[in-house]
Amino acid sequence: MTDLSNQAPVAPRRPYSFTRHGITVSDDYAWLKDARWQEVLHDPTLLDADIRAYLEAENAYAESVLGHTAPLQKTLVAEMRGRIKEDDSSVPSPDGPYAYFRKYREGGQHELFCRTPRDGGAETIGLDGDALAKGHDYFKFGGSRHSHDHRLVAWSADTKGSEYFTIRVRDWDAGNDLDDVVEQTDGGVVWSRDCTSYFYVKLDDNHRPMQVWRHRLGTQQADDVLVYEEQDTGWFTHVHESTSGRFCVIAGGDHETSEQRLIDLDAPEAPPRLVAARETGVQYAIADRGDELFILTNADGAIDFKIVTAPLAAPERANWRDLIPHRAGIYVLDHDLYAGHLVRLERANALPSIVIRDLTSGEEHAIAFDEGAYSLDAMGSYEFDTTNLRFAYSSMTTPSEVYDYDMVTRAKTLRKRQEIPSGHDPADYVTTRIMAKADDGAEVPVSLLHRRDFKADGTAPLLLYGYGSYGHAMPASFSANRLSLVDRGFVYAIAHIRGGTDKGWGWYLQGKRDKKTNSFDDFAACARALIAANYTSARRIVGHGGSAGGMLMGAVANRSGDLFAGIVAEVPFVDVLNTMLDDTLPLTPPEWPEWGNPIESETDFRTILSYSPYDNVAAKAYPAILAMAGLTDPRVTYWEPTKWVARLRATMTGGGPVVLRTNMGAGHGGASGRFNRLDEVAIAYAFALWAVGMADRTA
């Protein structure tokens, strides 16, 4: 591979160091963090001129390195777009006299929110995302919720990529927005039953969701009523409707502890009522039915969670009674409630199932599938008094299928199968699973997708995707985009490493805080297992991860870089120590339970310092690296990948090149619009193909 590093921008070193717990840390690239970063989130034009010039120089260098792949990128975009049904629509979801759904128009970038009469008839469009996006370089819908009387729809959008959402209310039939404008929210809305007010969460200037407010239609935001304010800056707060639709649930928590409150939507001015007081390490989530709560919780040492019941009138911990006891290794990750049935989503050994319980008889039955790796999700309903359960199924070979399932008769009706307009035959592909043995003996599942004519002779390139943080599991679901790599001979692999809940909550606990390096070692073990099984060979692997998965990429590049031909790190969380030391950043206090608090704890400081990718860049050869950032990203701030790339270039002794591409008009999720996003996917895939010497394969 051509070494282009001598042409790369050189970030000036501006010496800076700090001492904490008696340990001095040098950070010569700290200047790349704009001192006015909060203001830049709101208005990117305020970015410091030196920093902007450097980012633009990096973008120019990225173009010089990857510009020759432009024809390949164009081909990839055309392929991926060809797999998208351009006028796609969701299955209508009934609610009273109407059925609501979302769809796209041919060539449209953004969703349309629509409805028809419940039993069929002419559709009407409540929100036209394409029209609303006009005049904005960036546009992303937040939440949308129609009112209970079906006259109005509250909707929110972010037009900068900073994830500050503005809420408006539209008259469905008239097609115009009311004068009400509520700014700086997380985008969610819960209507009162009389449809004259709604609840929302306001974000503070540090982008933290600390306050719940009630807005009355026809008034100014300045007149809104503060309903609840969280005092712990480490907690997230959000609102949602309860399962029956009777309550607004104020749900708060961090990564270890939670607490919920209820507001009766028939009495929206009543104060919130606490369900159960927070206890460190105890999590719970409620569903309501009549005078009873059904609570999913890890209380009493239920590491993989259980379901308890409690009287609505006295829901405190002392009154919790086990309904679905804890079963080690069977992780209950979600529950939903209907008038006559309790539905829970479980996962064992990285395979999901839906279990339905008749609340009258107590009888249970499960919905599961036979493929070696698959994804399964209950989709919820606007209606509580129904026997219909809607769920979605897919695998790495099988496009998404949406089913309606009668929980009484057990009849299953296919309502939608994802269409691939350019054609897709699942029989042409194989999805399978292997187990990789980590250094400490842990068995790490790896889900695989390859063409049926693949030969396991060690010559194939392989993309290995991973995340491994916050308890997020990586589903073995269908992605049409991946086929552009697989059809060119790639094996696509997902590493279900520790730090996720793929094998239960304990699997998560074994990959956080002082055990975080298990995530990195698991990923390398997966790479070695794939090499040993002749799926690929060393330096034929491209690692891929984003956000906390980007931290994984940075750590793996430092620790096991010799296994990889390339690394794609999207919005990578790589400056872990400095971020966890800055308690003004949006996500820092909420992240301390995940990574540790290096401000207070010397042990946590040393632990994070030992693996933080930015702080462990070494004088050695690195694989080719593509880092992708968003200027207005409030989650992983732009300066993290920028500083990382600068230090890599200044320190590494060979390999590369290291490329940084910053989207100057987007945040954490990258470009807005379903087709614009494909441009960024194509860049990542073109880089992967280039890293393994296949960039000339446009066909």
Side-chain angles (χ1 to χ4, degrees):
M1 184 175 297
T2 304
D3 184 1
L4 300 172
S5 58
N6 61 332
Q7 304 167 23
V10 176
R13 292 175 182 264
R14 298 182 183 175
Y16 168 77
S17 63
F18 63 91
T19 301
R20 178 85 64 162
H21 306 297
I23 304 164
T24 298
V25 176
S26 296
D27 185 2
D28 293 344
Y29 303 104
W31 67 272
L32 287 164
K33 172 184 175 182
D34 194 307
R36 299 190 301 166
W37 62 265
Q38 292 105 324
E39 296 172 53
V40 172
L41 275 181
H42 289 283
D43 184 357
T45 65
L46 297 176
L47 183 68
D48 175 86
D50 284 353
I51 298 172
R52 180 176 294 278
Y54 178 71
L55 293 178
E56 289 173 347
E58 286 284 7
N59 281 350
Y61 174 65
E63 178 61 26
S64 76
V65 174
L66 296 175
H68 69 96
T69 68
L72 172 59
Q73 292 177 38
K74 188 175 180 180
T75 299
L76 290 168
V77 168
E79 286 177 8
M80 292 185 287
R81 184 161 178 166
R83 299 188 194 106
I84 295 173
K85 180 175 167 57
E86 294 209 2
D87 58 350
D88 199 13
S89 62
S90 64
V91 180
S93 183
D95 185 23
Y98 295 100
Y100 290 84
F101 63 100
R102 301 183 183 192
K103 73 171 188 175
Y104 290 93
R105 61 167 57 90
E106 192 87 21
Q109 292 266 20
H110 301 279
E111 287 182 306
L112 315 179
F113 293 73
C114 310
R115 73 183 181 195
T116 64
R118 184 185 184 107
D119 297 323
E123 71 176 45
T124 57
I125 299 172
L127 297 169
D128 184 333
D130 291 323
L132 292 167
K134 283 181 180 175
H136 298 290
D137 293 334
Y138 181 95
F139 179 86
K140 183 180 180 181
F141 275 121
S144 71
R145 183 64 169 98
H146 59 269
S147 59
H148 305 290
D149 61 8
H150 305 278
R151 293 187 308 107
L152 307 170
V153 57
W155 64 280
S156 61
D158 167 23
T159 57
K160 292 190 173 65
S162 59
E163 297 181 46
Y164 283 109
F165 291 89
T166 298
I167 299 171
R168 292 177 170 84
V169 175
R170 176 155 295 199
D171 183 304
W172 193 288
D173 290 327
N176 61 281
D177 288 329
L178 309 185
D179 291 336
D180 303 65
V181 176
V182 173
E183 298 181 306
Q184 210 161 314
T185 82
D186 71 354
V189 166
V190 176
W191 283 100
S192 64
R193 293 301 300 179
D194 65 7
C195 310
T196 63
S197 61
Y198 62 76
F199 297 93
Y200 67 93
V201 172
K202 186 178 181 185
L203 304 178
D204 66 16
D205 289 337
N206 284 345
H207 211 279
R208 292 182 184 145
M210 308 291 291
Q211 297 177 333
V212 178
W213 292 77
R214 185 178 72 253
H215 175 76
R216 176 164 290 280
L217 296 185
T219 66
Q220 300 295 312
Q221 183 174 5
D223 299 323
D224 290 354
V225 176
L226 179 63
V227 172
Y228 173 75
E229 182 168 17
E230 176 56 52
Q231 299 302 313
D232 188 334
T233 58
W235 273 40
F236 295 95
T237 303
H238 71 272
V239 294
H240 63 269
E241 274 184 47
S242 69
T243 46
S244 73
R246 180 178 169 188
F247 299 102
C248 172
V249 181
I250 300 175
D254 56 23
H255 297 295
E256 296 180 335
T257 307
S258 60
E259 182 178 74
Q260 301 200 348
R261 289 170 168 80
L262 302 177
I263 300 174
D264 190 329
L265 292 174
D266 282 318
E269 296 181 4
R273 190 159 66 90
L274 179 65
V275 174
R278 65 189 70 179
E279 299 176 45
T280 300
V282 175
Q283 299 180 62
Y284 71 90
I286 66 102
D288 67 305
R289 174 179 178 262
D291 59 2
E292 195 171 31
L293 295 180
F294 291 68
I295 303 170
L296 175 65
T297 182
N298 67 344
D300 310 311
I303 192 169
D304 285 316
F305 288 73
K306 63 180 180 177
I307 297 176
V308 302
T309 59
L312 178 61
E316 54 269 18
R317 271 287 305 276
N319 295 327
W320 291 7
R321 300 291 180 264
D322 284 6
L323 177 68
I324 309 296
H326 175 248
R327 297 150 298 156
I330 302 177
Y331 173 44
V332 186
L333 60 152
D334 200 5
H335 73 318
D336 201 1
L337 198 59
Y338 296 86
H341 297 86
L342 171 66
V343 177
R344 64 183 190 271
L345 186 61
E346 297 183 344
R347 187 164 52 238
N349 203 29
L351 287 176
S353 63
I354 293 173
V355 182
I356 297 164
R357 181 184 184 93
D358 186 304
L359 290 172
T360 301
S361 67
E363 183 181 357
E364 292 189 352
H365 68 279
I367 304 172
F369 289 81
D370 295 330
E371 289 194 78
Y374 61 86
S375 173
L376 194 60
D377 286 298
M379 299 178 72
S381 170
Y382 288 123
E383 298 187 316
F384 178 69
D385 191 4
T386 179
T387 63
N388 185 65
L389 170 69
R390 182 165 291 168
F391 70 88
Y393 165 81
S394 76
S395 76
M396 294 175 78
T397 60
T398 307
S400 176
E401 297 172 340
V402 176
Y403 291 90
D404 278 348
Y405 182 82
D406 191 303
M407 293 183 282
V408 175
T409 68
R410 305 188 186 182
K412 184 172 67 176
T413 304
L414 177 65
R415 294 297 308 275
K416 180 185 176 183
R417 179 176 284 121
Q418 181 182 352
E419 292 182 44
I420 309 296
S422 59
H424 173 70
D425 185 352
D428 290 341
Y429 304 88
V430 173
T431 183
T432 188
R433 174 165 288 176
I434 67 167
M435 302 299 286
K437 183 161 283 190
D439 293 343
D440 62 0
E443 295 279 339
V444 186
V446 186
S447 298
L448 294 162
L449 172 70
H450 57 75
R451 287 194 62 86
R452 189 165 293 280
D453 56 9
F454 161 80
K455 291 181 175 57
D457 58 9
T459 64
L462 182 144
L463 188 139
L464 183 59
Y465 183 85
Y467 188 77
S469 290
Y470 307 116
H472 294 331
M474 292 295 103
S477 54
F478 184 77
S479 167
N481 290 344
R482 294 173 189 156
L483 300 178
S484 285
L485 289 179
V486 174
D487 285 345
R488 285 173 171 78
F490 264 76
V491 177
Y492 191 98
I494 300 172
H496 303 280
I497 58 178
R498 281 175 284 188
T501 51
D502 306 73
K503 292 180 69 174
W505 197 259
W507 197 243
Y508 164 50
L509 298 179
Q510 291 174 45
K512 67 180 293 192
R513 297 192 70 147
D514 60 320
K515 299 180 179 65
K516 186 65 231 169
T517 54
N518 282 338
S519 304
F520 317 142
D521 295 341
D522 285 0
F523 194 81
C526 291
R528 294 188 182 100
L530 291 162
I531 293 167
N534 282 326
Y535 281 100
T536 189
S537 55
R539 295 192 174 89
R540 294 290 284 162
I541 303 173
V542 177
H544 187 193
S547 196
M551 178 191 65
L552 170 69
M553 293 301 104
V556 166
N558 287 337
R559 300 160 70 95
S560 311
D562 57 330
L563 293 171
F564 297 87
I567 296 283
V568 178
E570 297 193 56
V571 290
F573 176 36
V574 284
D575 193 12
V576 186
L577 182 63
N578 282 310
T579 293
M580 289 300 100
L581 285 168
D582 186 350
D583 59 7
T584 69
L585 290 172
L587 295 188
T588 292
E591 299 285 89
W592 287 331
E594 182 77 13
W595 314 106
N597 183 346
I599 298 174
E600 301 293 336
S601 166
E602 180 182 345
T603 299
D604 290 348
F605 186 100
R606 291 182 180 276
T607 296
I608 295 170
L609 181 62
S610 73
Y611 69 74
S612 173
Y614 177 65
D615 296 289
N616 287 277
V617 170
K620 61 181 182 181
Y622 278 80
I625 294 175
L626 170 63
M628 302 174 77
L631 179 60
T632 55
D633 188 346
R635 297 171 185 255
V636 177
T637 48
Y638 75 86
W639 59 83
E640 292 207 29
T642 305
K643 291 170 58 180
W644 178 52
V645 165
R647 181 172 276 182
L648 277 166
R649 290 226 197 90
T651 309
M652 58 194 279
T653 57
V658 177
V659 178
L660 172 67
R661 183 181 182 276
T662 302
N663 189 323
M664 303 297 281
H668 198 65
S672 64
R674 57 175 177 160
F675 301 133
N676 290 345
R677 172 61 184 152
L678 296 180
D679 293 337
E680 295 189 340
V681 177
I683 291 168
Y685 283 5
F687 176 87
L689 286 158
W690 175 62
V692 298
M694 294 171 60
D696 58 336
R697 292 191 57 179
T698 58

